[in-house]
Amino acid sequence: MASDPSAPSSLSDASDYDLVVVGGGPAGSTAATAVALRGHRVLLLERETFPRYQIGESLLPATVHGLCRLLGVADEVARAGFTLKRGGTLRWGRDPEPWQFSFSMTPRLPEPTATAFQVERSRFDEILLRNAERVGVEVREGSSVRRVLADEGERVRGVEYTDPDGNARTAHARFVIDASGNTSRIHGRVGGARVYSDFFRNLAVFGYYAGGRRLPEPNSGNIFCAAFDAGWLWYIPLRDDLTSVGAVISPEHFAAVQHDPRAAWQDMIKACPEVDRLLTDVPVATESPYDQVRVRKDYSYWKKSLWTPGMALVGDAACFVDPVLSSGVHLATYGALLAARAVNSALDGSVPEERGFAEFEARYRREYGVFYEFLIAFYDMERNDRSYFWSAKKVTRVDLDEAAAFAELAGGVASGDAAVVASGGLGAHWSSAAAELDGAVGRLATGEDRVNPLLSARIVAETFRTGNDLRDQALYGGPLDDSAPSTPDDALTVTADGLSWATP
């Protein structure tokens, strides 16, 4: 029988490392840094050499003012010169004119933390990775993980990888965290299949322009999302001379995209007047790596299992959901922080491994679930009934199998009411949420409310509650408001530094 790695005596075992992290993106750097900050031995293996290109450029305040501060890198990110993002501007829903929201409209968000950034991921990700090195993480780039190592009891004990010279090597560890992205070669080791969303079964085609017009101040740095017949477009101002533009469309367009991605991308832009006007007479980018047009398909999914003894999945290796709410980096880094808390607690013997990782999984599933639920309601708001794409994106068109899969994922936690799932009432529940969100956005657009009407919508409050708590943790050592625990009967709390679980 394998020894219990959460027992203090196991600290004397012969493992090379306490933790091996596979992948050096934001999720991997977060997990590695959070464990190294507790003085543990951490190895991070990254198959590429940084800086490297990545999509997912629009951040949320929780990442900038919460996660980055916990990791000790907030000041460096602030000095990097990234475009300041005060909120979002959208042409979406029943109002034919664009409307906007501001992070500063949230009372719990004081002005200095009421912003985020639009980032070139090659630069942002390298800041996080080099910070990991500074706090003691051993980083090996150009090192591709081939397989997971396990003992006779099937506990994960390390990885086998190929170094930059092509040599096969092994690294033994108490724990392994897979943060190697949606193309992970080892996520199957934790068991459980990937569940792909049929409702969000979309295709993204994206590229860059060498500039572009900006929204009026003070919202020039906002992400702009605009719905059109075939789907929706994002428009992200990265620099004065660089704009990220992507179309999210249905899979029936794949043949055209596959035949000529650049032509299909530009056709989608021309089909959306609100975005096309911003790019009139603006040339496409020619600097590498922004000179390419890229495609990603079927990118909304979650894993049925997120951990097994000795190993956990975080970031896109674990889950991903439609990017309209800019949730990608937040979900990835938050999941990584949760996993790091479980590792730290097991290593110091304060919380048994099974309990710590159960808390990791419960909170991670809940966070994915609330964003998924919000996005269903948000898609339902768009009233383009003539469009095949939008007529399929209604609450009433959510497939019963997908609703059942979501119920299994969330277990009633996302809605805060297990009875909703148990009674098969998800359809009515989502319809009510969509109507509430639609009404709140309608009042926001008119500007008649003295208080931001979005704050009164349950689904909005639930979606951003964890981000608020994360900022409070970084700034004040814990949430300022009481929040419902993820596991009410056996909830763990968080240590003041945010890096470990603690028993109540």
Side-chain angles (χ1 to χ4, degrees):
M1 178 180 296
S3 61
D4 178 5
S6 66
S9 61
S10 63
L11 289 175
S12 62
D13 66 18
S15 293
D16 300 328
Y17 301 94
D18 295 308
L19 172 67
V20 169
V21 176
V22 183
S29 292
T30 294
T33 301
V35 174
L37 284 170
R38 284 296 187 86
H40 301 304
R41 304 161 295 166
V42 182
L43 170 67
L44 186 152
L45 300 170
E46 165 56 45
R47 65 185 173 188
E48 298 187 49
T49 300
F50 278 43
R52 56 91 177 95
Y53 171 81
Q54 186 58 271
I55 193 63
E57 298 144 330
S58 194
L59 303 185
L60 295 177
T63 301
V64 175
H65 302 289
L67 189 284
C68 287
R69 191 162 300 281
L70 289 175
L71 300 182
V73 76
D75 291 343
E76 186 175 356
V77 171
R79 290 192 301 267
F82 295 126
T83 296
L84 190 69
K85 170 185 174 182
R86 298 183 183 278
T89 301
L90 304 101
R91 210 315 298 151
W92 198 290
R94 56 186 168 179
D95 193 333
E97 296 300 319
W99 53 273
Q100 61 196 21
F101 67 90
S102 170
F103 297 132
S104 65
M105 295 176 73
T106 304
R108 283 197 48 185
L109 202 56
E111 186 62 36
T113 61
T115 56
F117 293 114
Q118 316 283 19
V119 299
E120 291 177 78
R121 284 286 303 278
S122 58
R123 295 173 56 212
F124 177 75
D125 292 9
E126 185 163 32
I127 288 172
L128 295 187
L129 186 66
R130 301 309 167 210
N131 180 62
E133 285 184 312
R134 282 196 298 272
V135 301
V137 176
E138 184 179 337
V139 174
R140 298 183 189 175
E141 297 171 73
S143 299
S144 179
V145 171
R146 301 166 57 177
R147 67 185 184 95
V148 171
L149 305 175
D151 61 20
E152 293 181 0
E154 292 302 300
R155 177 183 179 80
V156 171
R157 293 291 186 183
V159 298
E160 183 180 292
Y161 68 99
T162 303
D163 70 15
D165 297 323
N167 301 310
R169 297 187 177 276
T170 58
H172 294 92
R174 303 276 306 287
F175 293 96
V176 172
I177 290 179
D178 179 14
S180 58
N182 67 307
T183 59
S184 167
R185 299 168 59 183
I186 61 173
H187 72 85
R189 184 62 185 77
V190 304
R194 272 186 179 173
V195 178
Y196 286 87
S197 167
D198 192 58
F199 186 84
F200 293 115
R201 189 171 62 90
N202 298 328
L203 167 74
V205 54
F206 50 94
Y208 298 83
Y209 277 78
R213 291 164 183 80
R214 299 299 180 238
L215 301 172
E217 294 293 352
N219 301 311
S220 62
N222 279 12
I223 183 173
F224 180 44
C225 296
F228 70 113
D229 284 353
W232 63 273
L233 282 165
W234 76 68
Y235 185 95
I236 301 175
L238 295 175
R239 305 189 310 242
D240 289 344
D241 61 347
L242 186 66
T243 303
S244 172
V245 185
V248 176
I249 51 183
S250 52
E252 68 263 20
H253 295 284
F254 184 62
V257 171
Q258 190 175 40
H259 174 69
D260 190 338
R262 186 173 295 272
W265 173 59
Q266 293 186 319
D267 285 345
M268 294 297 168
I269 293 170
K270 291 175 183 176
C272 183
E274 293 88 353
V275 171
D276 190 41
R277 283 194 294 268
L278 297 172
L279 294 168
T280 301
D281 299 326
V282 179
V284 296
T286 57
E287 65 171 294
S288 178
Y290 302 117
D291 54 342
Q292 298 182 41
V293 174
R294 296 173 169 87
V295 179
R296 185 171 174 181
K297 63 176 183 173
D298 290 345
Y299 51 72
S300 292
Y301 57 85
W302 64 83
K303 280 278 292 185
K304 284 192 171 183
S305 299
L306 296 179
W307 76 282
T308 193
M311 180 176 174
L313 305 178
V314 300
D316 289 2
C319 58
F320 187 80
V321 71
D322 188 277
V324 69
L325 204 58
S326 304
S327 59
V329 173
H330 165 67
L331 283 172
T333 54
Y334 177 65
L337 179 62
L338 295 175
R341 289 172 179 170
V343 170
N344 283 335
S345 300
L347 289 173
D348 66 22
S350 61
V351 175
E353 175 184 349
E354 184 173 357
R355 188 179 183 195
F357 277 99
E359 189 78 12
F360 148 78
E361 180 155 344
R363 294 196 188 209
Y364 202 2
R365 288 183 180 279
R366 181 198 178 279
E367 191 69 355
Y368 182 91
V370 295
F371 275 90
Y372 176 97
E373 186 178 27
F374 179 98
L375 288 166
I376 283 182
F378 192 70
Y379 264 57
D380 194 74
M381 283 175 51
E382 175 55 37
R383 301 303 179 86
N384 189 346
D385 295 329
R386 305 180 308 279
S387 162
Y388 171 81
F389 181 92
W390 290 108
S391 63
K393 302 303 182 184
K394 301 297 175 188
V395 170
T396 54
R397 299 292 297 272
V398 178
D399 185 86
L400 290 177
D401 289 341
E402 181 157 341
F406 175 81
E408 181 182 355
L409 163 80
V413 176
S415 69
D417 183 2
V420 170
V421 175
S423 64
L426 270 175
H429 175 73
W430 283 337
S431 293
S432 175
E436 184 184 24
L437 181 61
D438 186 38
V441 169
R443 296 195 304 277
L444 177 69
T446 65
E448 295 176 354
D449 290 39
R450 297 182 63 184
V451 178
N452 182 0
L454 291 176
L455 301 178
S456 65
R458 176 200 61 83
I459 198 167
V460 174
E462 282 294 299
T463 301
F464 292 99
R465 178 172 68 80
T466 294
N468 292 338
D469 289 349
L470 192 58
R471 282 191 301 272
D472 291 349
Q473 187 77 49
L475 291 169
Y476 311 114
L480 297 181
D481 295 340
D482 292 334
S483 356
S486 60
T487 50
D489 295 331
D490 191 22
L492 297 176
T493 58
V494 181
T495 54
D497 63 2
L499 303 181
S500 188
W501 298 127
T503 53

